[in-house]
């Protein structure tokens, strides 16, 4: 389902505070297109486990920069989403997360005709207050496009 203009809508995904982060990630996979920015980006998770998430981003002409490559902002957004997704799988019920730092290196240009980017994130450090996740973004053919790191703060929802 490419062409994210068909999917522009506010987020419909509800963060249930009674669910763990892994339960939320698995529900996100089932929902496929939850609305909001991930729909506009055309990115969706396809696999999740504790400390891990894999997201696929369907590339279309709207992802291009002026020289006909996938815009670097697409790659940066994937580092944020996938790093946060890996951290999300570690959350306990009632917790939520916020990105606090992103870093990345562009290793190869992604041609706009590559069809899809694969982003995999793994938590490499976790304690009760923070998670650090490493993210690798590649094409379907296995060309590594970028490597990034996301630092994620864990917060507890205050009772209403």
């Amino acid at each position: 389902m490419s062409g994210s203009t068909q999917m522009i809508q506010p987020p419909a995904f509800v963060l249930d505070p009674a669910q763990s982060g892994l339960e939320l990630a698995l529900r996100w996979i089932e929902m496929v297109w939850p609305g909001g920015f991930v729909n506009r980006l055309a990115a969706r998770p396809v696999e999740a486990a504790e400390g891990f998430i894999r997201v696929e981003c369907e590339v279309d002409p709207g992802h291009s920069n002026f020289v006909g490559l996938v815009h670097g902002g697409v790659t940066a957004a994937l580092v944020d989403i996938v790093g946060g997704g890996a951290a999300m799988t570690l959350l306990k019920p009632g917790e939520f997360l916020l990105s606090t730092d992103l870093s990345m290196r562009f290793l190869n240009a992604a041609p706009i005709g590559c069809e899809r980017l694969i982003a995999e994130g793994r938590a490499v450090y976790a304690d009760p207050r923070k998670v650090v996740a490493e993210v690798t973004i590649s094409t379907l053919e296995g060309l590594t496009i970028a490597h990034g790191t996301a630092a994620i703060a864990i917060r507890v929802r205050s009772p209403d």
Side-chain angles (χ1 to χ4, degrees):
M1 174 188 253
S2 191
S4 58
T5 55
Q6 300 170 16
M7 301 178 284
I8 297 172
Q9 56 186 308
F13 189 82
V14 177
L15 294 176
D16 182 347
Q19 290 187 309
S20 71
L22 183 55
E23 290 170 319
L24 290 170
L26 294 173
R27 192 161 51 84
W28 181 17
I29 290 170
E30 290 174 11
M31 192 172 199
V32 182
W33 300 114
F37 182 67
V38 294
N39 278 30
R40 179 159 294 212
L41 190 61
R44 62 186 179 83
V46 295
E47 183 182 352
E50 188 172 303
F52 172 82
I53 198 160
R54 177 183 167 115
V55 171
E56 295 184 358
C57 178
E58 297 178 15
V59 176
D60 64 43
H63 291 100
S64 66
N65 60 21
F66 295 141
V67 296
L69 301 169
V70 175
H71 192 285
V74 172
T75 309
L78 286 171
V79 170
D80 184 32
I81 291 165
V82 174
M88 178 173 72
T89 67
L90 301 176
L91 296 179
K92 296 178 184 87
E95 294 180 334
F96 67 99
L97 52 81
L98 299 166
S99 297
T100 59
D101 185 64
L102 295 173
S103 64
M104 62 179 290
R105 298 227 184 260
F106 294 103
L107 302 173
N108 289 290
I112 198 63
C114 71
E115 182 183 335
R116 183 173 298 142
L117 294 176
I118 308 300
E120 292 186 349
R122 287 175 177 71
V124 294
Y125 175 85
D127 68 32
R129 297 185 57 219
K130 62 191 157 301
V131 176
V132 176
E134 291 185 352
V135 178
T136 301
I137 300 169
S138 59
T139 64
L140 286 172
E141 297 76 28
L143 177 67
T144 301
I145 302 304
H147 183 267
T149 304
I152 310 295
I154 298 173
R155 300 290 185 256
V156 177
R157 293 187 189 281
S158 55
D160 293 333

